[in-house]
Amino acid sequence: MHLAKPSWLAHLDDKGQRTSIFSIHVHPDGSRIATGGLDNKIKLWSTIPIIDGSKARDPNVPTLLCTLGLHNGSVLCVRWSNRDGRYLASGSDDQLLLIWEWDKSTEAWAGQSIFGSGEQNLENWKPVRRLTGHQSDVVDLAWSRDNTYLASCGLDNLVFIWDGRKFEKLHKLDAHQGFVKGVTWDPVGEYLATESDDKTVKVWRTSDWKVQAEISDPYTSSPTTTFYRRLSWSPDGSHVATANGAQGPVPIAAIFNRGDWKPDVSLVGHDSAIEVVSFNPVIFMIPESDDADPDSASVGSVCAVGSQDHSISVWVTRNARPLFVCQKPFDHSVLDLAWSPDGTHLYACSYDGTVVVLQFLNNEFGTRLSMEEHDKILAKYGFVPKDPIILENTTQLDMEGTLAITNKTSSSGRIAALMSGNQELPPPPAVIITEMEKVNYGPPSSAPSQMITENSNGIKSSSVSGQAIVTIQQKPSVSGGPVPMDVENAIASGSSGSINTQTQQTITLTKDGKKRIQPQFLRGLTSSPSTPLRPPMPVPMPMPTDNVSAPAINGNLSNTSVFSQSQQQSVSLDKASNLDAPSRALPAGGIPAILIGNKRKESFASEIAAQSNKRQSFSKSRADSVIETEGYPLRSGLVPPSVTMSQVRLASHKVKDYLAKDRLDGTTLKLECFNNNVKGPSQISCTRGKVVVWIDYVPSSIILLTGHSQYSAVACEDGSLFIYSSAGRRLLPVIMLESAASFLEICREYLLCITQTGLIYIWDLRNLKAIVSSVSTAPILQAATLSSDDFHSTVSIISACVRPNGIPLLVTSLNEAWSYHLDMKTWVRVYDPRYSTLDPSNSETSEVIGGSILASLESMARQRGGNIGSLAYLRHSGGKDTQGKAHVIGHLENQLVSSEMVNSPTEYKRLLFAYAQQLADEGAEFRLHELCMELLGPVNGQETFISNDQTRSNWDPFIMGMSKRQLLKEILPILASNRALQRHVTEYGDSLKKILKID
């Protein structure tokens, strides 16, 4: 054994003094090590000059390869992923985990100097994910043997399990009652072991994440002064070595067996508490003695122990005495140990800021077993090695190369998102306040001060009460063309997007007349959210709909529109597109409703008459709970008999003396209604500035109005409905509904109306036909769960709109989103909040990103809380759990068809890529065939692998304006990521090439 202690390997503070090194780990190829220190930095070092001291003086041999400095606290743990070492995980006392990846591309900035020092980065390691969830220091990390999972533990008494590929939070283990200071994986993948200051070691089953065993005997008298309790699982899977054990006053490293989980070996000899133990990753054939017959050697493991007595010992598990002892190579406690992949070098770091490497001869421990022999030993515990898949053709290799290039391209912009602390949530929408809203929503003294600047692109940057919001207002185009790409990018990225907007600074004057400018914190150059490795997608322009001001609550604007991002941003774009943004006409808290349920009691037949009398005598109105949006209420609206006899009863609107809707065309077009307090007609007027465009009178009092530049509609309290063209021409005679309207909205040529009896109507005003007629909302208001013997306050409709394809989208107070399938004639749930998570960092960004419909629904549900997240663990279950895999695929399939239902092409494309990746990961051949056949369609003149009964006769080559075959072309490289599917993928790829060539 030889010892090396490089003096040049150090973490230095601002004064050039050594700081503590808390963690050390060796890359799987043995060429580099990573260290984390008190200076908040991670440093990557070459192992060549460490092992060979003479190389350290060679200027052509690098020592420091890279310095990573995005943590805001001490780096307490660094761990490379196994096998290829693609990722480096780091944990810090800033409560964050960062995942780093080496960018080997030619455009990488390797070779640039590190800010504030003379060091240079020779390798470019980029942060690819930022994982949040811990509420205190993250002190230890561990990758599973096949990199399926990443486990983290911390001083918040919690253990988190993360997906090793997508880095989603899968599980939270909270059974410990003290700081969790160590974590290790079973090499078979069946268990996870953790050690805590509650003086227990817990073994968790990975099948259901329940506690398999709890060991406490060797730790009852152990001190709690250790910084770590880093434990280790033996490479043969049979033992677990633990730190900080004690037999009375004697410190020990306790080792317990797999299966009975009882400590049967204690490593005794250190004078102070043990901080860390680490098994050599290699299994050896160890002889009985140096002179023994080599054929008598038996299988054994080698374990290293680091203690607070500044010493390191190396043990063979079957011997009672240490094989080697390195007495006090440090001046302080040993904090971490790491073996090289070949088992010949042991690296150790200390609180004194130094690193020591112990070099062993090749046969010093015995004869190393091969990887095949290693796998055979693990097979007795159920380990099944994965056989390598042989490449069968060059097409597969080309697809793998295409996927790698696409993944590299799609990861751009991730560094800026991590530096700014941005999460997957879309940025908050901009709020545009009209002059009338300024009057109605509170006195001038309560309004925040606002400063606005505008650049040449027509982008206004507003500073309101110290917070910057950006509203995109494109100047009118002469040709009426599309919005420029720079404006579109600004919409997609929010106030910190790709357009550099100027922020107004606060200037004050001192008594002597000097100006003082208050400095502002700059979060970063951009704030594009961190995204997984997926092909980039073009962001389509949001579909604008109607916009009505929301009610005021204590002087604040309340927005209940489901389109919290893309369509709210279109409010400021309606000037350019001549279309309108979504309605905000719903009162805060939604439309209150009561209904009689469908669930019958056993004695229902004998109570029909009594319930009928109760229905007839019930005429209570919930109008008092509706918050006025404009005007002064004159009286409550009339309640027709149809409402008193209806199963569903929505709130009625009060009659107000004045109603108005501004900016029907995005500029000056305005619709106003004037109701009389006495009997007489109500006036409707449409004006453009001071010019009256048209005027009309209706015989009943008006309770709702909506419109845009092409159509307008008003609803009266007697149930009548009037529809007008842009010139004020009545398109139809008066429409008489069974009851008055509770909600009214126009999107393009579609008019949505929800009546007080809970019936929904959608009309196509351009073709004058009904899309949805007299469809009850009772199914989405949980009528089937309520008994029919009384009236019940049920869920409210908090948001309603009609999509540009003419289908309704309703959101209830349970945060569920419902749409009506026009062909199936039934309600379908397009969003279920039970599968969402409260933690934005745990959002499935591989599924839904940005300000599209499903993302907005999830963002709104996360903000509202309620019944969110009760089933979220199902869509994150994975690994070897068959049930979990089925839930993941099922959830993706549900999201995929939902995005098609609500006409969200951007989300559909992203979800399709995520679905294809999941199919590839699971090797789901039958689902792959169905997906590819649906996208490929019929093959002209060929019946090779697609039969007529498998392909719909009415196959449409497009979906939401996107070519299905082009989508198939883009997902084939993703499906090819699993070589076990290469024959199927190649077959579909060849057929696609023939079809495209013919076309």
Side-chain angles (χ1 to χ4, degrees):
M1 182 190 74
H2 300 281
L3 183 146
K5 189 175 183 179
S7 59
W8 46 265
L9 197 159
H11 286 245
L12 305 178
D13 58 17
D14 296 338
K15 298 180 180 180
Q17 302 296 319
R18 284 184 181 270
T19 62
S20 299
I21 299 179
F22 295 111
S23 184
I24 189 169
H25 204 239
V26 187
H27 192 275
D29 65 7
S31 63
R32 57 181 62 81
I33 63 172
T35 57
L38 186 64
D39 59 350
N40 303 355
K41 291 181 175 59
I42 304 164
K43 294 195 174 187
L44 310 184
W45 311 85
S46 173
T47 57
I48 296 176
I50 298 175
I51 297 173
D52 186 354
S54 62
K55 298 291 186 181
R57 296 184 291 272
D58 188 346
N60 297 321
V61 178
T63 55
L64 180 63
L65 301 178
C66 187
T67 299
L68 312 176
L70 287 184
H71 278 294
N72 294 321
S74 301
V75 181
L76 304 180
C77 188
V78 289
R79 294 291 183 262
W80 304 95
S81 59
N82 295 313
R83 298 182 180 179
D84 58 356
R86 175 182 177 181
Y87 297 113
L88 173 66
S90 61
S92 168
D93 65 7
D94 62 4
Q95 306 174 13
L96 297 178
L97 278 78
L98 293 184
I99 307 298
W100 308 80
E101 183 181 16
W102 188 6
D103 184 2
K104 301 179 182 179
S105 60
T106 55
E107 66 272 13
W109 42 263
Q112 294 189 3
S113 61
I114 303 171
F115 180 77
S117 70
E119 301 172 352
Q120 285 190 338
N121 280 335
L122 303 181
E123 296 178 353
N124 178 27
W125 287 80
K126 304 189 311 180
V128 292
R129 291 307 293 265
R130 176 179 182 268
L131 309 182
T132 61
H134 281 285
Q135 303 299 317
S136 188
D137 302 8
V138 181
V139 297
D140 204 15
L141 303 168
W143 296 85
S144 61
R145 189 169 188 259
D146 58 358
N147 294 326
T148 300
Y149 300 114
L150 171 66
S152 65
C153 63
L155 303 187
D156 53 3
N157 305 352
L158 299 177
V159 179
F160 284 106
I161 309 299
W162 311 84
D163 187 294
R165 183 175 59 85
K166 298 180 181 179
F167 301 106
E168 300 164 347
K169 189 187 303 176
L170 302 181
H171 304 282
K172 181 177 72 173
L173 312 181
D174 56 1
H176 278 294
Q177 303 301 316
F179 299 156
V180 187
K181 296 182 176 180
V183 60
T184 186
W185 286 97
D186 168 21
V188 180
E190 188 177 3
Y191 299 110
L192 171 76
T194 56
E195 188 169 358
S196 167
D197 270 355
D198 62 7
K199 299 185 179 183
T200 64
V201 171
K202 295 185 187 298
V203 180
W204 312 78
R205 295 188 299 269
T206 58
S207 57
D208 57 4
W209 302 106
K210 303 298 183 182
V211 176
Q212 171 73 18
E214 180 177 309
I215 301 94
S216 60
D217 290 342
Y219 319 105
T220 54
S221 60
S222 64
T224 57
T225 57
T226 56
F227 203 90
Y228 297 105
R229 291 175 181 257
R230 285 176 165 157
L231 67 171
S232 180
W233 210 299
S234 65
D236 60 2
S238 60
H239 298 88
V240 180
T242 61
N244 200 14
Q247 290 180 351
V250 180
I252 64 169
I255 299 179
F256 54 87
N257 289 324
R258 182 195 193 100
D260 58 6
W261 312 110
K262 294 181 179 179
D264 61 347
V265 177
S266 297
L267 305 182
V268 183
H270 286 279
D271 298 330
S272 299
I274 294 172
E275 291 272 359
V276 54
V277 293
S278 178
F279 271 104
N280 192 312
V282 178
I283 301 177
F284 296 92
M285 294 296 295
I286 303 175
E288 295 291 341
S289 63
D290 295 340
D291 301 330
D293 184 1
D295 295 335
S296 64
S298 59
V299 175
S301 300
V302 177
C303 182
V305 178
S307 170
Q308 288 184 348
D309 62 4
H310 316 171
S311 301
I312 303 170
S313 59
V314 180
W315 305 68
V316 176
T317 52
R318 69 181 185 184
N319 293 340
R321 294 179 179 274
L323 192 62
F324 301 100
V325 176
C326 185
Q327 290 283 355
K328 300 187 183 301
F330 300 111
D331 297 328
H332 214 292
S333 301
V334 182
L335 296 182
D336 204 3
L337 298 171
W339 288 93
S340 62
D342 59 3
T344 59
H345 295 79
L346 175 64
Y347 295 82
C349 65
S350 170
Y351 194 83
D352 64 9
T354 60
V355 169
V356 164
V357 56
L358 305 181
Q359 306 176 46
F360 302 93
L361 300 179
N362 287 332
N363 297 323
E364 202 157 358
F365 296 129
T367 304
R368 289 195 294 268
L369 295 186
S370 65
M371 187 57 65
E372 291 76 14
E373 294 172 318
H374 191 159
D375 291 343
K376 288 180 181 179
I377 293 176
L378 293 177
K380 66 181 181 181
Y381 298 116
F383 175 73
V384 179
K386 295 182 180 179
D387 297 329
I389 300 175
I390 301 175
L391 189 67
E392 297 182 359
N393 51 65
T394 57
T395 303
Q396 170 70 20
L397 190 61
D398 293 338
M399 288 186 179
E400 291 178 2
T402 302
L403 180 62
I405 294 174
T406 305
N407 288 343
K408 185 67 66 176
T409 304
S410 65
S411 62
S412 60
R414 192 170 292 137
I415 297 179
L418 290 169
M419 294 181 65
S420 63
N422 191 22
Q423 301 293 325
E424 275 72 21
L425 278 177
V431 180
I432 300 177
I433 304 176
T434 63
E435 293 298 325
M436 183 172 61
E437 289 169 340
K438 292 178 182 178
V439 175
N440 293 339
Y441 292 130
S445 59
S446 63
S449 59
Q450 182 174 2
M451 294 174 285
I452 302 176
T453 61
E454 182 174 356
N455 63 11
S456 58
N457 291 322
I459 300 172
K460 293 186 177 182
S461 176
S462 304
S463 178
V464 182
S465 298
Q467 296 181 350
I469 55 175
V470 174
T471 54
I472 312 300
Q473 293 183 340
Q474 184 193 7
K475 297 181 179 179
S477 173
V478 177
S479 61
V483 179
M485 184 58 69
D486 56 350
V487 177
E488 183 178 338
N489 291 340
I491 297 172
S493 60
S495 60
S496 306
S498 57
I499 298 179
N500 188 13
T501 58
Q502 182 179 0
T503 305
Q504 191 75 25
Q505 293 182 315
T506 303
I507 302 176
T508 59
L509 293 177
T510 61
K511 296 181 179 179
D512 55 0
K514 294 182 180 181
K515 292 183 179 180
R516 293 290 183 267
I517 302 177
Q518 180 179 351
Q520 293 186 347
F521 176 68
L522 301 180
R523 295 185 61 86
L525 298 178
T526 62
S527 64
S528 58
S530 169
T531 62
L533 305 178
R534 289 291 181 272
M537 248 57 68
V539 181
M541 292 305 299
M543 299 296 184
T545 55
D546 175 51
N547 175 34
V548 179
S549 302
I553 303 178
N554 298 328
N556 296 323
L557 287 176
S558 174
N559 179 16
T560 60
S561 174
V562 64
F563 309 110
S564 61
Q565 176 68 22
S566 62
Q567 297 209 2
Q568 286 183 13
Q569 288 166 336
S570 66
V571 174
S572 53
L573 289 174
D574 52 8
K575 180 177 180 180
S577 59
N578 290 325
L579 296 174
D580 297 290
S583 171
R584 301 182 188 177
L586 283 176
I591 303 176
I594 59 174
L595 58 81
I596 302 174
N598 295 332
K599 185 177 180 181
R600 300 189 178 189
K601 297 175 62 177
E602 294 182 359
S603 58
F604 177 80
S606 62
E607 299 178 1
I608 293 180
Q611 295 301 325
S612 177
N613 295 333
K614 182 181 292 187
R615 293 191 190 101
Q616 293 178 2
S617 63
F618 187 87
S619 60
K620 179 182 179 181
S621 171
R622 298 292 300 272
D624 294 338
S625 62
V626 179
I627 301 175
E628 296 81 18
T629 57
E630 297 177 16
Y632 179 78
L634 299 175
R635 54 181 170 82
S636 297
L638 299 176
V639 180
S642 60
V643 175
T644 63
M645 298 298 295
S646 174
Q647 180 189 21
V648 180
R649 308 178 185 185
L650 302 184
S652 60
H653 289 265
K654 291 184 177 181
V655 177
K656 301 175 183 178
D657 60 348
Y658 174 75
L659 296 172
K661 184 182 186 305
D662 288 325
R663 304 192 311 159
L664 299 184
D665 59 348
T667 54
T668 58
L669 196 64
K670 185 176 183 180
L671 187 66
E672 297 177 285
C673 295
F674 301 90
N675 292 319
N676 293 319
N677 197 13
V678 295
K679 292 184 178 180
S682 298
Q683 176 184 317
I684 311 168
S685 65
C686 182
T687 60
R688 190 184 304 275
K690 297 182 179 179
V691 178
V692 178
V693 179
W694 56 269
I695 295 179
D696 193 20
Y697 294 89
V698 296
S700 181
S701 297
I702 299 170
I703 57 175
L704 287 174
L705 76 163
T706 186
H708 55 57
S709 57
Q710 300 299 321
Y711 303 101
S712 302
V714 296
C716 300
E717 66 171 338
D718 62 355
S720 58
L721 187 67
F722 297 84
I723 303 174
Y724 300 92
S725 68
S726 57
R729 179 174 58 92
R730 295 194 183 185
L731 298 180
L732 287 171
V734 58
I735 297 175
M736 186 58 66
L737 304 172
E738 83 287 345
S739 63
S742 280
F743 181 75
L744 200 65
E745 180 185 292
I746 284 183
C747 174
R748 293 188 174 182
E749 67 270 23
Y750 299 106
L751 173 62
L752 165 68
C753 178
I754 304 177
T755 66
Q756 295 176 16
T757 56
L759 299 184
I760 184 172
Y761 299 85
I762 297 179
W763 296 285
D764 182 350
L765 302 183
R766 178 177 299 172
N767 300 309
L768 298 181
K769 66 177 183 179
I771 305 299
V772 177
S773 180
S774 301
V775 174
S776 175
T777 57
I780 70 174
L781 298 179
Q782 297 186 327
T785 64
L786 302 175
S787 61
S788 58
D789 60 341
D790 204 349
F791 298 98
H792 307 273
S793 294
T794 182
V795 297
S796 302
I797 301 174
I798 64 172
S799 184
C801 68
V802 56
R803 296 290 294 145
N805 58 353
I807 66 170
L809 186 62
L810 275 62
V811 181
T812 69
S813 55
L814 295 179
N815 296 322
E816 297 176 340
W818 298 85
S819 186
Y820 189 77
H821 200 293
L822 301 181
D823 296 328
M824 300 293 291
K825 307 296 182 184
T826 185
W827 288 101
V828 292
R829 181 166 53 198
V830 296
Y831 172 72
D832 190 342
R834 295 175 296 176
Y835 289 92
S836 297
T837 58
L838 289 172
D839 186 359
S841 65
N842 198 28
S843 176
E844 289 182 315
T845 59
S846 58
E847 299 177 15
V848 181
I849 303 175
S852 299
I853 304 304
L854 298 180
S856 300
L857 290 169
E858 185 164 4
S859 174
M860 184 173 67
R862 189 177 292 112
Q863 294 171 5
R864 288 176 53 87
N867 64 329
I868 184 170
S870 59
L871 299 179
Y873 69 95
L874 293 177
R875 78 182 202 186
H876 295 305
S877 299
K880 301 179 181 179
D881 183 7
T882 303
Q883 182 182 7
K885 294 177 182 178
H887 280 297
V888 172
I889 292 181
H891 176 71
L892 279 170
E893 290 170 343
N894 188 76
Q895 293 290 85
L896 194 63
V897 295
S898 295
S899 62
E900 180 182 2
M901 186 75 186
V902 299
N903 193 33
S904 180
T906 303
E907 288 177 315
Y908 180 87
K909 196 170 185 179
R910 286 175 175 143
L911 285 161
L912 180 63
F913 289 157
Y915 182 57
Q917 185 65 65
Q918 192 67 33
L919 295 183
D921 294 343
E922 306 300 340
E925 294 186 17
F926 297 108
R927 279 184 165 94
L928 180 146
H929 282 299
E930 285 190 1
L931 176 64
C932 291
M933 286 190 296
E934 172 62 27
L935 297 178
L936 181 64
V939 181
N940 296 329
Q942 296 188 24
E943 298 292 339
T944 55
F945 62 95
I946 301 180
S947 58
N948 291 332
D949 60 343
Q950 291 176 307
T951 307
R952 292 200 302 252
S953 59
N954 60 343
W955 182 79
D956 189 346
F958 294 94
I959 180 169
M960 290 181 287
M962 299 180 294
S963 170
K964 290 183 177 179
R965 287 168 175 166
Q966 181 61 32
L967 292 175
L968 176 61
K969 182 179 179 181
E970 295 182 30
I971 68 170
L972 283 178
I974 300 177
L975 297 173
S977 61
N978 185 349
R979 288 190 176 182
L981 304 173
Q982 58 182 302
R983 293 184 181 180
H984 308 298
V985 174
T986 302
E987 193 174 9
Y988 285 111
D990 294 341
S991 298
L992 181 62
K993 289 179 181 178
K994 293 178 182 179
I995 293 176
L996 295 179
K997 186 176 181 180
I998 295 174
D999 292 343

